[in-house]
């Protein structure tokens, strides 16, 4: 009888806690290290930045400063990575084919060698994806037509090669079902899914992962791992709706059990999903909770995760909490040199240096645009950060002159008047402008009376409904 895979996987909660605690924050956990490196989310960020420069949404100067290299060089790097890595199509196909057309003994020996060498050479060797579908998308979107660009004939040959490799991998599934146990069947299915995630389309990858989660006797941990990898596939291709649906399924699975490490990883993934759907408040809570337990190196870099946490939590945390959780947070201080702009944003807001704060917002804008998760919401985030500063300033005064406030923010009176009137009209600021006197007067809401009035209104509605119901009953 084949061994059951549902008793092999899940780590004991206490063991997982001690293991994660022993590691430096931001390093991959045990389950994270087992995650597939594909799709590569850092590549997704590079593709986004190239797209932003191509559409002139991000200037070449700002892109160069953020990326650390010329965008044209980054484009060549991305195209090479997605394609054949600078090799000829025949050579790249031959190398990829050699990994799979081996005897079982040779394959096992090579796998052991690869595992020993991967830790030392991961950063040195970047394996080309040979992803024809993604290459076509980039080629058409960016108009990439250099002399070394792959032709349609080349891309068709690559796709035919992938079909042959996937056929071999599916034969391994059949062989595992006939000759091995449940864990070997799982590994064979995961090989197919991960290959599709690396080299083919979103649809093929998701379909292969669905086969994984449908396996009988699959443990909660392994099922959650598959769902998280599916989430990354959806995120890589920008399918935020499918990403959210997959995480909903993962949340139901983790509700039935699961170790502490995977629960923390799921929260990090959920935070990114909330970011994509502009639910910044929900994202901020999960992000700040995940700072000390972050281990999803396959999802994003730790410094990026901290940036998301700071930007979102500035909008919702009280000043005392900002000081405690962000400005003086030990984990955040570890990476503060990597994110100077967002750290300056938090410090200037806390210190009420509004002039420097507005200048920092200008510096922040290209960083938001250059990030694939934040770019769709850049305008909204910047607007909310403006409102935050204006509200914090006005909370200190019963009334203040426009000229004095303009001086504090380092802007002109006319510009400030335009901004304030816009936010006041939208109900974002509880104030009014005396244009004749050049004064801004704050209207602090009386929350106690507001709640009383709300209760009276709801009571009236309830009484009206009861009366209508009474008439119907009488009839």
């Amino acid at each position: 009888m084949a061994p059951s895979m549902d008793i092999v996987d899940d780590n004991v909660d206490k063991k997982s806690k001690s293991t994660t605690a022993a590691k430096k924050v931001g390093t991959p956990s045990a389950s994270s290290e087992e995650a597939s490196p594909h799709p590569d989310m850092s590549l997704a960020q590079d593709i986004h930045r190239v797209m932003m420069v191509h559409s002139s949404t991000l200037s070449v100067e700002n892109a160069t400063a953020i990326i650390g290299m010329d965008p044209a060089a980054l484009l060549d790097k991305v195209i090479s990575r997605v394609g054949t890595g600078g090799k000829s199509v025949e050579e790249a196909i031959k190398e990829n084919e050699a990994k799979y057309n081996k005897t079982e003994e040779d394959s096992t020996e090579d796998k052991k060698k690869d595992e020993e060498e991967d830790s030392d050479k991961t950063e040195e060797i970047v394996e080309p994806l040979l992803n024809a579908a993604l290459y076509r998308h980039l080629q058409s979107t960016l108009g990439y037509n250099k002399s070394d660009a792959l032709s349609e004939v080349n891309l068709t040959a690559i796709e035919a090669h992938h079909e042959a490799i996937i056929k071999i991998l599916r034969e391994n599934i059949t062989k595992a079902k006939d000759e091995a146990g449940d864990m070997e069947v799982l590994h064979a299915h995961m090989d197919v899914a991960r290959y599709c995630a690396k080299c083919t389309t979103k649809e093929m990858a998701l379909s292969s992962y669905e086969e994984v989660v449908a396996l009988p006797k699959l443990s909660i941990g392994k099922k959650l791992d598959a769902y998280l990898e599916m989430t990354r596939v959806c995120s890589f291709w920008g399918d935020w709706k499918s990403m959210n649906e997959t995480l909903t399924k993962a949340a139901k699975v983790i509700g039935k059990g699961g170790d502490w490490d995977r629960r923390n990883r799921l929260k990090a993934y959920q935070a990114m999903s909330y970011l994509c759907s502009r639910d910044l408040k929900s994202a901020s809570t999960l992000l700040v909770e995940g700072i000390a337990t972050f281990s999803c190196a396959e999802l994003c870099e730790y410094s990026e995760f901290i940036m998301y946490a700071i930007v979102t939590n500035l909008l919702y945390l009280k000043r005392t909490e900002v000081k405690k959780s962000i400005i003086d947070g030990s984990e955040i201080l570890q990476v503060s040199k990597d994110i100077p702009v967002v750290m300056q944003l938090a410090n200037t807001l806390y210190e009420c240096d509004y002039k420097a704060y507005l200048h920092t917002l200008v510096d922040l804008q290209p960083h938001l645009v250059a990030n694939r998760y934040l770019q769709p919401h850049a305008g909204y985030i910047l607007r909310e950060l403006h409102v935050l500063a204006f509200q914090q300033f006005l909370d200190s005064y019963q009334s203040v002159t426009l000229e004095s406030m303009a001086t504090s923010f380092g802007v002109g009176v006319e510009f400030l008047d335009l901004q304030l009137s816009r936010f006041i009209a939208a109900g974002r600021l509880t104030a009014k402008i005396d244009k004749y006197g050049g004064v801004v007067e704050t209207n602090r809401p009386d929350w106690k009376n507001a709640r009383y009035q709300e209760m009276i209104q709801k009571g009236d509605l309830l009484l009206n409904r009861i009366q209508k119901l009474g008439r119907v009953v009488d009839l």
Side-chain angles (χ1 to χ4, degrees):
M1 182 179 178
S4 174
M5 68 178 73
D6 58 350
I7 62 173
V8 177
D9 164 64
D10 288 344
N11 298 324
V12 179
D13 195 36
K14 292 181 180 179
K15 183 179 179 181
S16 179
K17 284 185 179 182
S18 61
T19 303
T20 307
K23 290 186 176 184
K24 183 180 177 182
V25 176
T27 57
S29 62
S31 62
S32 181
E33 286 178 341
E34 293 177 1
S36 170
H38 304 291
D40 186 348
M41 303 313 293
S42 63
L43 174 62
Q45 286 284 22
D46 288 341
I47 291 173
H48 170 78
R49 289 163 180 166
V50 168
M51 294 281 193
M52 290 298 100
V53 173
H54 178 74
S55 63
S56 300
T57 307
L58 181 66
S59 70
V60 174
E61 294 75 17
N62 285 331
T64 303
I66 294 169
I67 301 167
M69 65 188 301
D70 184 69
L74 179 63
L75 172 60
D76 291 336
K77 176 184 174 184
V78 166
I79 292 293
S80 175
R81 175 81 193 284
V82 174
T84 60
K87 302 171 185 175
S88 67
V89 174
E90 294 77 12
E91 184 181 359
I93 288 177
K94 187 177 180 180
E95 287 185 4
N96 194 53
E97 195 173 39
K99 299 175 184 177
Y100 301 95
N101 289 338
K102 296 176 181 177
T103 64
E104 188 173 347
E105 292 180 0
D106 291 339
S107 180
T108 303
E109 290 178 5
D110 288 344
K111 189 174 182 180
K112 289 180 180 179
K113 290 179 181 178
D114 290 342
E115 288 175 352
E116 293 173 357
E117 296 174 359
D118 274 350
S119 58
D120 299 325
K121 297 185 178 181
T122 300
E123 297 183 0
E124 298 175 14
I125 301 174
V126 180
E127 184 182 9
L129 301 183
L130 290 172
N131 194 314
L134 183 57
Y135 195 97
R136 281 196 191 94
H137 172 68
L138 295 177
Q139 203 171 30
S140 62
T141 305
L142 302 173
Y144 189 84
N145 54 4
K146 288 189 176 182
S147 58
D148 60 346
L150 300 180
S151 66
E152 184 59 33
V153 174
N154 295 145
L155 297 177
T156 302
I158 290 173
E159 287 178 326
H161 164 68
H162 291 324
E163 289 177 6
I165 298 299
I166 292 172
K167 184 178 179 181
I168 293 172
L169 295 175
R170 289 203 172 276
E171 288 173 355
N172 291 340
I173 295 176
T174 304
K175 187 177 180 181
K177 287 180 179 178
D178 295 337
E179 303 176 6
D182 291 337
M183 284 304 295
E184 287 75 16
V185 173
L186 169 63
H187 293 154
H189 272 285
M190 287 297 288
D191 286 343
V192 174
R194 289 174 172 178
Y195 189 86
C196 289
K198 172 190 170 186
C199 302
T200 66
T201 63
K202 177 192 73 176
E203 290 75 18
M204 287 186 67
L206 293 180
S207 176
S208 300
Y209 276 113
E210 289 290 354
E211 293 178 15
V212 174
V213 296
L215 289 172
K217 302 179 185 178
L218 189 62
S219 68
I220 290 174
K222 290 300 183 184
K223 184 172 287 191
L224 185 64
D225 289 343
Y227 275 130
L228 293 184
E229 291 189 17
M230 287 175 71
T231 300
R232 279 196 290 133
V233 171
C234 297
S235 175
F236 185 90
W237 290 95
D239 188 349
W240 311 123
K241 182 180 178 181
S242 296
M243 177 182 179
N244 183 54
E245 291 172 352
T246 304
L247 285 173
T248 301
K249 295 176 184 177
K252 290 180 180 178
V253 170
I254 204 72
K256 299 176 183 178
D259 59 83
W260 182 77
D261 171 47
R262 287 187 173 93
R263 287 177 181 273
N264 287 331
R265 288 181 62 214
L266 177 60
K267 286 183 179 180
Y269 278 77
Q270 288 173 325
M272 305 310 291
S273 179
Y274 285 135
L275 270 183
C276 297
S277 60
R278 199 179 284 187
D279 186 355
L280 300 187
K281 188 165 187 178
S282 298
S284 66
T285 302
L286 292 177
L287 287 166
V288 77
E289 289 176 355
I291 288 175
T293 58
F294 179 82
S295 60
C296 304
E298 78 282 0
L299 182 62
C300 65
E301 294 181 3
Y302 187 52
S303 57
E304 285 183 21
F305 188 83
I306 294 297
M307 181 181 78
Y308 302 142
I310 294 175
V311 170
T312 55
N313 279 278
L314 281 180
L315 298 174
Y316 301 105
L317 288 183
K318 296 179 180 179
R319 287 185 79 246
T320 52
E321 287 297 318
V322 169
K323 175 70 171 174
K324 178 183 175 182
S325 301
I326 295 178
I327 295 175
D328 292 339
S330 58
E331 293 89 359
I332 292 179
L333 291 175
Q334 290 178 16
V335 296
S336 59
K337 293 182 180 179
D338 299 328
I339 47 172
V341 175
V342 289
M343 287 303 300
Q344 185 177 357
L345 185 75
N347 283 308
T348 52
L349 179 66
Y350 181 78
E351 295 166 2
C352 301
D353 187 354
Y354 299 109
K355 183 176 181 179
Y357 177 81
L358 287 192
H359 280 92
T360 307
L361 283 181
V362 176
D363 296 334
L364 178 67
Q365 191 268 345
H367 288 270
L368 297 180
V369 172
N371 188 285
R372 65 191 302 261
Y373 295 108
L374 299 178
Q375 182 270 327
H377 320 298
Y380 173 81
I381 291 171
L382 290 172
R383 183 169 66 250
E384 291 302 305
L385 289 171
H386 273 91
V387 172
L388 177 66
F390 290 146
Q391 187 65 61
Q392 180 174 290
F393 180 88
L394 292 173
D395 281 345
S396 304
Y397 299 93
Q398 185 69 39
S399 64
V400 62
T401 63
L402 279 169
E403 185 176 354
S404 174
M405 188 174 178
T407 301
S408 296
F409 280 88
V411 297
V413 174
E414 291 184 3
F415 174 81
L416 180 64
D417 179 55
L418 178 65
Q419 292 294 308
L420 289 178
S421 60
R422 213 174 91 205
F423 293 135
I424 291 171
R428 302 306 313 282
L429 294 175
T430 55
K432 61 181 180 179
I433 300 174
D434 179 358
K435 187 71 173 176
Y436 180 78
V439 175
V440 181
E441 298 178 358
T442 58
N443 297 324
R444 289 184 177 83
D446 188 339
W447 297 113
K448 187 175 182 180
N449 283 334
R451 288 196 191 98
Y452 175 76
Q453 293 297 330
E454 182 183 3
M455 184 180 68
I456 294 296
Q457 289 176 357
K458 289 182 177 179
D460 287 340
L461 288 173
L462 179 60
L463 287 173
N464 288 335
R465 288 174 182 172
I466 291 173
Q467 287 173 356
K468 289 179 181 178
L469 181 61
R471 294 190 195 111
V472 172
V473 172
D474 290 339
L475 291 174

